[in-house]
Amino acid sequence: MNILEISHIEKSFGNIPVLKDISLSVSDGEILSIIGPSGSGKSTLLRCATMLETLDKGEVRYQGNRAVWADNGGNVQFAPKKELKEIQRLYGLVFQNFNLFPHYSVMKNIIDAPVHVQKRKKEEAAKEARELLKKMGLEDKADAYPCQLSGGQCQRVAIARALALNPKILFFDEPTSALDPELTGEVLKVIRSLADLKIAMVIVTHEMAFARDISDKVIFMADGVIVEEGTPEQVFASGNERTQAFLGRYGDILK
Amino acid sequence: MGISQIQQLIGGMGVSIQIFTVTLVFSLPLGLIVAFGRMAKNPALQNLVKAYISIMRGTPLMLQLMVVYFGPFYLFGIKIGNSYRLWAVFIGFTINYAAYFAEIYRSGIQSMPAGQYEAAQILGYSKSQTFFKIILPQVIKRILPALTNEIITLVKDTSLAFTLSVMEMFTVAKALAAKGTMAPLLAAGIFYYVFNLLVAVVMEKAEKKLDYYR
Ligand SMILES: Nc1ncnc2c1ncn2[C@@H]1O[C@H](COP(=O)(O)OP(=O)(O)O)[C@@H](O)[C@H]1O
Ligand SMILES: [Mg+2]
């Protein structure tokens, strides 16, 4: 089944169209990478899918259920409150600049939502959090505060925080773009390790080799449209002029 | 100074501390509500609150106290008793300080990065959870220095209650000094100074306590 289906969404800021008729789907456990030049609308697409932004046209479905859509009159509708809450439990988002809660310790950052949003037992949530931290290579950082961590460590905490809510699909918006080059590796390694969790992932990234290696499917976006979509082999070997022009900048990495 | 004068001064001190405490206890939460009104999407509410804040900040507190005290009589013909004096001071100070605190809260709230709200939304926090668990604690850390300034001003402003002849520290000291000695005024000066030292120490402690994160 498709965990996520985006159909014909459009989004403008003022009168500048940023997303022009975007459709895509992600099946359970599938890993989709979205690449493309900056300003092409990748973040906006993720933000519309996660309802941080409200689309102008089209619809977004999770597990077949409509979360947000524009009706025939062009009015945007959301699923009823209760249903929407259920839908929101299905996805998580990892931000470029982490957005950890600075006043909470690493442990509290991870368990606070499971405990206070999902109403799970604190001990149980803490136990899971420690396992997640171990997976992230941060078992000794539970009591640290975000300001005491490096960017790479913060991003790994942010990933743990998202995973703690057991999402079925996790969005990443350039998870390594705010990091010093020597720190990107540790975060990419962690994301790779998630592949066996069977969580679907949608990853916006400029790390081409990573996208090629990890993805089931790659989308190349430019100027608010999907220029090309296919397996990594198809997209990275594409004959499409725009795709080639974009990938050319990364030529050496992909050899 | 005789025993009875010292007793009077101590009584005045008590009233000053009472005005200070009551004002803080009510204006700090009220200020938050006013800040919400000031940031409301509804333009009518927003403008109403804007006007209120503007008047509170743009006119002397002394005058506001008199309006609160005499208003009920001149506006509605309600007979005002002597016991209303202190209440008028409480009300006047609270609505005045709420306006100042509201602007401090607002600047703090608006300085919060959108990412904190977005992360909370994605994690499923409700609006009130987001505000009280994520936003407000960080806002308090940010506005603590501005709050300290305002609270120190409040300590000194309590002396304005003399306008309504409420027997607080300054009113008492002034009355006693009129009988020909500087000592009560000196005592009052020391009182305000020590009170403010105390405020500064407490606020510094609070800032230190929130120093554990950036
Ligand atoms: N909130 C906003 N208001 C106005 N314009 C925006 C906003 N967010 C994004 N944009 C514009 O939309 C375009 C696409 O942005 P974005 O989705 O961030 O692209 P990408 O993530 O691919 O770099 C850019 O031109 C950007 O300036
Ligand atoms: Mg972006």
Side-chain angles (χ1 to χ4, degrees):
Chain A
M1 187 165 71
N2 284 337
I3 173 71
L4 172 69
E5 269 167 74
I6 288 175
S7 317
H8 304 292
I9 68 171
E10 295 180 25
K11 174 72 183 173
S12 304
F13 290 111
N15 46 19
I16 300 163
V18 171
L19 298 178
K20 308 165 191 164
D21 193 20
I22 300 270
S23 300
L24 62 87
S25 64
V26 179
S27 58
D28 284 341
E30 188 178 31
I31 300 178
L32 164 68
S33 288
I34 302 176
I35 59 174
S38 66
S40 55
K42 305 180 299 295
S43 295
T44 306
L45 175 60
L46 292 201
R47 292 170 61 81
C48 285
T50 53
M51 289 179 262
L52 290 178
E53 252 3 300
T54 305
L55 48 73
D56 297 333
K57 285 194 184 141
E59 66 171 31
V60 176
R61 285 175 187 263
Y62 284 90
Q63 290 185 335
N65 300 312
R66 287 203 294 189
V68 54
W69 65 97
D71 63 21
N72 294 333
N75 296 314
V76 176
Q77 312 275 343
F78 289 89
K81 221 173 183 166
K82 211 167 141 234
E83 217 173 296
L84 199 61
K85 255 195 156 151
E86 290 299 310
I87 288 172
Q88 282 171 331
R89 284 185 68 138
L90 296 173
Y91 62 79
L93 169 62
V94 173
F95 298 86
Q96 184 172 342
N97 54 355
F98 336 131
N99 290 331
L100 291 176
F101 302 133
H103 58 310
Y104 284 173
S105 69
V106 165
M107 179 54 88
K108 194 159 166 64
N109 262 284
I110 298 173
I111 66 170
D112 196 70
V115 172
H116 294 285
V117 174
Q118 295 189 339
K119 310 289 179 203
R120 286 166 50 194
K121 284 216 183 65
K122 194 175 168 190
E123 298 73 41
E124 187 195 300
K127 190 166 159 262
E128 258 191 60
R130 274 189 291 274
E131 277 160 26
L132 279 169
L133 282 174
K134 202 165 160 205
K135 203 170 162 60
M136 302 292 140
L138 294 169
E139 52 268 68
D140 53 338
K141 297 293 182 196
D143 299 321
Y145 285 86
C147 62
Q148 299 165 324
L149 305 180
S150 72
Q153 290 171 328
C154 281
Q155 192 58 296
R156 284 182 280 155
V157 173
I159 293 170
R161 179 175 73 171
L163 290 172
L165 291 166
N166 295 312
K168 292 266 181 287
I169 179 168
L170 197 47
F171 296 91
F172 295 82
D173 191 1
E174 299 195 24
T176 59
S177 292
L179 304 178
D180 295 334
E182 70 269 24
L183 299 178
T184 59
E186 62 188 50
V187 171
L188 296 181
K189 197 173 127 210
V190 157
I191 298 174
R192 276 176 211 267
S193 77
L194 304 182
D196 28 284
L197 291 179
K198 298 290 165 225
I199 300 174
M201 294 198 263
V202 177
I203 308 169
V204 171
T205 184
H206 291 292
E207 301 289 335
M208 293 306 148
F210 168 75
R212 181 195 57 196
D213 296 344
I214 193 178
S215 311
D216 300 309
K217 194 162 79 185
V218 175
I219 281 177
F220 170 58
M221 259 181 88
D223 294 328
V225 297
I226 294 178
V227 176
E228 206 161 355
E229 176 173 1
T231 63
E233 294 75 26
Q234 288 167 341
V235 173
F236 285 101
S238 161
N240 182 297
E241 207 175 303
R242 285 171 93 179
T243 315
Q244 274 194 339
F246 173 73
L247 288 174
R249 292 185 234 157
Y250 298 90
D252 288 347
I253 308 169
L254 293 168
K255 289 285 146 58
Chain B
M1 279 195 297
I3 291 284
S4 96
Q5 288 178 320
I6 289 174
Q7 275 174 346
Q8 284 179 54
L9 282 173
I10 290 175
M13 211 189 281
V15 176
S16 293
I17 292 172
Q18 209 183 342
I19 296 170
F20 173 83
T21 313
V22 169
T23 303
L24 269 195
V25 165
F26 289 99
S27 63
L28 281 173
L30 182 62
L32 191 55
I33 295 168
V34 174
F36 284 135
R38 177 66 183 76
M39 295 182 290
K41 292 205 182 76
N42 180 328
L45 177 61
Q46 197 196 95
N47 284 324
L48 189 76
V49 173
K50 232 178 179 168
Y52 155 68
I53 292 173
S54 163
I55 290 168
M56 288 296 135
R57 301 211 299 179
T59 61
L61 175 53
M62 216 188 276
L63 185 72
Q64 294 166 19
L65 290 176
M66 294 179 73
V67 169
V68 173
Y69 182 62
F70 293 111
F73 177 72
Y74 286 113
L75 294 176
F76 311 109
I78 300 167
K79 206 168 159 282
I80 39 180
N82 227 351
S83 63
Y84 179 58
R85 275 176 205 284
L86 190 57
W87 282 102
V89 167
F90 291 159
I91 294 169
F93 270 82
T94 298
I95 59 175
N96 177 277
Y97 270 82
Y100 282 94
F101 288 142
E103 286 298 272
I104 293 176
Y105 284 125
R106 181 170 73 97
S107 71
I109 291 169
Q110 290 179 339
S111 77
M112 286 296 295
Q116 292 288 300
Y117 290 94
E118 293 178 352
Q121 185 184 329
I122 293 288
L123 293 169
Y125 287 98
S126 68
K127 285 236 161 73
S128 82
Q129 280 178 323
T130 301
F131 185 74
F132 288 105
K133 291 173 69 79
I134 310 298
I135 302 300
L136 188 59
Q138 297 184 58
V139 166
I140 288 173
K141 179 182 164 86
R142 284 169 188 231
I143 65 175
L144 226 40
L147 279 183
T148 304
N149 282 338
E150 214 51 60
I151 294 172
I152 284 174
T153 306
L154 171 61
V155 169
K156 294 180 285 183
D157 271 359
T158 56
S159 63
L160 289 175
F162 92 91
T163 322
L164 301 185
S165 310
V166 165
M167 297 307 272
E168 48 64 58
M169 192 67 188
F170 180 73
T171 314
V172 172
K174 190 165 155 271
L176 293 177
K179 289 170 190 159
T181 162
M182 271 285 286
L185 290 179
L186 188 66
I190 292 171
F191 164 74
Y192 289 116
Y193 185 72
V194 170
F195 197 162
N196 267 331
L197 272 187
L198 228 64
V199 168
V201 167
V202 169
M203 294 307 279
E204 205 173 308
K205 271 231 166 84
E207 276 181 49
K208 278 247 165 66
K209 211 172 156 210
L210 295 180
D211 239 8
Y212 70 90
Y213 73 92
R214 276 192 308 274

